[in-house]
Amino acid sequence: MSASDPLAVGRRSVLAGAALAIPAASLAAASAPPPAPATTRAPRQRPAPSVADGGLSGLIANHVATATFAQLDAGALERAKLRLLDVIGCTIGGVRGEGQAAVSGMLASASGGEASVFGTGRKASVADAAMANAMLARAFDFEVMTVKVRDVISPSHNAPTSVMTALALAEAAHSDGRKFITTMAIGDDFSARSIAASGLDFNDGWDGVPLHVTMAAAAIAANARGLSPEKTRQALGIAADQIGGTVQNVWDGANSWKILQGTAARNGIVAAHFAEIGWSGMTDPLLSPCGFYAQFTAGCARPDLLTGGLGQEWNGEIYFKPWPSCAANHPAIESALTLRAREKLDPQAIDSVTIQVEPRILGLFIAKPLLPGPSLHSQANFNLRFACSVALLRGDLRQEDYAPSAIADPALTSLIERTTLAALPAGEKGIVLTVRRRDGKVLTETLRGRPRHYAGSTAQEVEAKFHQQVAFAGNVPESVANELRQRIGAIEKETDMASFAALLANATRFPA
């Protein structure tokens, strides 16, 4: 996850109150509180039938049902391959993620199934396998993210779901590589357009993954299974009814945010199956009076982004994360590493650290204190002080830094305690990192724009990240890793994706 973006469509905010513990005697003696003032709510559309032809949902369903590999230009194909490589790398590295072995083992079937549950050596139904594998790919929050659709940039976490939904379906159907990459691109494009048309504001409370990726997963399944435009529209409508999931889990330090990456895949696949056997959903799931945008967002501010260039412009995620941490932490990580290298900073010489950010950042979950449990990884992954302190202390931030012993390192906990968050002056953007050394010297690093990799990563950088994940997993033969890399680079030439899935299954094993 990442902070809402200034280029995204503006959104409403919500306020959360805090309860105070009051002794019973004091409560009994207290006078009755004054009546609460009347609250006003934003007006909603009155329930009414959808437009008969499905509106924009109908246009999109027709595109989803009829899209083919021939519509992917060379640039779109290469970008899709890079996203695939990144997610496969995260899947391999994910075998060391917190709780992943247990959930994959739970979803894998002892009696087999149609699709591989990576890490287990077993299979399951397509829906359960896609769920387990999407969660595995999101294990360290390290995968490619953030969509750019024309002039709108918005945070996102689509790729684990789109890749693993498409792969499970392709393995089960023995589809070729062209069909697989086409369905994956359909899902990436759908979810990117969905987010860009309304924006994403975590102050609304919803998690962007189930919000914007569930219908995309249904679109993948609809195309993969050859559903007609009409049944595809029904699948999207049924999928819209499966949406749920909030960011309260992140605020509370729980790791159920990873489950949502999987339920988006599972629910989308199940929705397409329902439509395939004749069940129906809402006629216009996107823009009807009680449809997706009316119920789950502040409204569809940019409907042009839903259909503009449909079938010609293939959108997808653009930011290949260089660090396994919430992207809202990345400006601080980059600033810390830049300052550390430029000043040849000795971490032992640091007296205190101040991180100045835009006021809106101070209202996000990354600004809360680092607390114990229930998920140590989740607490640290979404914590600005932790991310910056690790970068200053260790000169990088890697998956190894989330090990309990690494988080409990006294040198790290001491530096976190000496790190303060503050607001930038009004009107200023970006981040200012200030380090005061014990000798009194003050060092400063300022980042006014986005981290460097938002401008794009090279194929070599994404490949290096893939091999870093393989090294972290520690149990993948180099020959297997190299074969995976080569086959991803020519994925459109695969004749049976079940063979590719078998190779990946061989490369992923949970540690004993």
Side-chain angles (χ1 to χ4, degrees):
M1 296 181 188
S2 72
S4 54
D5 191 275
L7 293 181
V9 180
R11 319 268 290 149
R12 65 183 182 271
S13 297
V14 295
L15 299 177
L20 298 177
I22 303 175
S26 299
L27 186 61
S31 58
T39 58
T40 58
R41 296 183 62 184
R44 286 188 178 275
Q45 291 178 274
R46 293 178 61 85
S50 301
V51 293
D53 64 357
L56 286 184
S57 297
L59 293 175
I60 292 171
N62 184 71
H63 157 70
V64 167
T66 59
T68 64
F69 177 80
Q71 292 175 269
L72 297 177
D73 59 71
L77 178 58
E78 289 309 307
R79 291 190 296 274
K81 289 179 182 179
L82 283 182
R83 294 194 298 273
L84 175 60
L85 177 64
D86 194 72
V87 170
I88 295 302
C90 290
T91 303
I92 293 172
V95 296
R96 294 190 176 273
E98 178 189 74
Q100 294 299 146
V103 74
S104 293
M106 177 187 73
L107 290 169
S109 172
S111 58
E114 302 168 286
S116 300
V117 178
F118 301 127
T120 67
R122 291 186 282 158
K123 292 189 174 185
S125 69
V126 172
D128 283 348
M131 179 177 180
N133 297 337
M135 291 177 64
L136 185 60
R138 186 78 191 278
F140 283 97
D141 199 23
F142 201 4
E143 78 292 344
V144 61
M145 60 161 294
T146 301
V147 297
K148 183 178 186 298
V149 182
R150 296 190 174 181
D151 60 324
V152 173
I153 298 175
S154 189
S156 64
H157 281 287
N158 307 338
T161 295
S162 59
V163 168
M164 292 308 174
T165 300
L167 185 53
L169 287 157
E171 178 184 5
H174 294 273
S175 301
D176 63 23
R178 291 189 171 202
K179 183 65 173 179
F180 160 72
I181 204 70
T182 301
T183 60
M184 179 188 131
I186 287 169
D188 284 339
D189 185 58
F190 187 110
S191 51
R193 291 171 181 272
S194 174
I195 294 171
S198 182
L200 179 64
D201 186 345
F202 290 117
N203 285 327
D204 280 348
W206 292 105
D207 186 299
V209 172
L211 207 67
H212 294 282
V213 192
T214 302
M215 279 189 284
I220 291 171
N223 182 279
R225 298 181 70 86
L227 270 60
S228 68
E230 172 62 20
K231 286 195 172 183
T232 296
R233 181 161 57 91
Q234 302 297 352
L236 299 181
I238 295 168
D241 274 326
Q242 315 308 311
I243 291 172
T246 83
V247 295
Q248 191 63 49
N249 45 36
V250 175
W251 278 100
D252 296 345
N255 55 9
S256 56
W257 53 275
K258 302 177 190 182
I259 298 176
L260 303 180
Q261 196 78 53
T263 55
R266 182 197 64 196
N267 291 346
I269 290 171
V270 170
H273 283 177
F274 271 113
E276 188 173 20
I277 64 172
W279 284 70
S280 56
M282 59 186 85
T283 304
D284 181 7
L286 291 171
L287 297 178
S288 58
C290 294
F292 170 73
Y293 282 106
Q295 291 298 106
F296 298 109
T297 79
C300 185
R302 294 288 301 275
D304 60 298
L305 298 182
L306 288 173
T307 55
L310 198 61
Q312 298 174 332
E313 298 173 15
W314 294 89
N315 303 283
E317 290 168 307
I318 60 172
Y319 181 46
F320 293 87
K321 279 186 167 186
W323 305 289
S325 176
C326 175
N329 295 329
H330 286 204
I333 297 171
E334 183 168 301
S335 297
L337 296 177
T338 300
L339 185 148
R340 190 182 193 272
R342 185 187 69 235
E343 302 292 341
K344 298 180 174 55
L345 179 64
D346 178 3
Q348 303 303 317
I350 298 174
D351 179 62
S352 64
V353 178
T354 301
I355 309 171
Q356 289 179 275
V357 293
E358 297 168 38
R360 65 184 178 85
I361 299 296
L362 297 178
L364 290 175
F365 36 71
I366 63 168
K368 69 186 183 72
L370 183 61
L371 302 171
S375 164
L376 203 55
H377 172 247
S378 298
Q379 291 283 4
N381 185 74
F382 297 101
N383 192 277
L384 184 55
R385 294 178 182 87
F386 173 87
C388 185
S389 296
V390 169
L392 285 171
L393 183 66
R394 299 170 183 162
D396 204 353
L397 194 157
R398 296 262 67 89
Q399 298 101 311
E400 294 90 337
D401 292 304
Y402 294 106
S405 59
I407 294 175
D409 177 9
L412 177 61
T413 58
S414 174
L415 186 53
I416 291 172
E417 290 171 356
R418 289 178 277 124
T419 298
T420 302
L421 304 185
L424 286 168
E428 290 193 15
K429 301 289 186 181
I431 182 172
V432 176
L433 177 64
T434 302
V435 174
R436 180 178 293 276
R437 296 195 323 200
R438 297 189 189 279
D439 63 7
K441 185 174 181 179
V442 175
L443 310 173
T444 301
E445 176 62 25
T446 300
L447 178 63
R448 293 301 184 195
R450 297 174 179 276
R452 179 179 69 84
H453 286 274
Y454 265 94
S457 296
T458 66
Q460 292 74 24
E461 287 172 327
V462 178
E463 184 171 351
K465 178 182 172 183
F466 169 81
H467 287 292
Q468 181 271 321
Q469 302 251 43
V470 169
F472 172 67
N475 56 8
V476 182
E478 184 178 356
S479 59
V480 174
N482 288 336
E483 184 179 353
L484 277 169
R485 172 67 188 97
Q486 291 165 5
R487 290 175 69 168
I488 290 170
I491 198 70
E492 72 277 17
K493 297 180 181 179
E494 291 286 328
T495 58
D496 184 350
M497 286 302 296
S499 171
F500 178 86
L503 178 64
L504 180 56
N506 184 48
T508 51
R509 285 290 185 273
F510 289 109

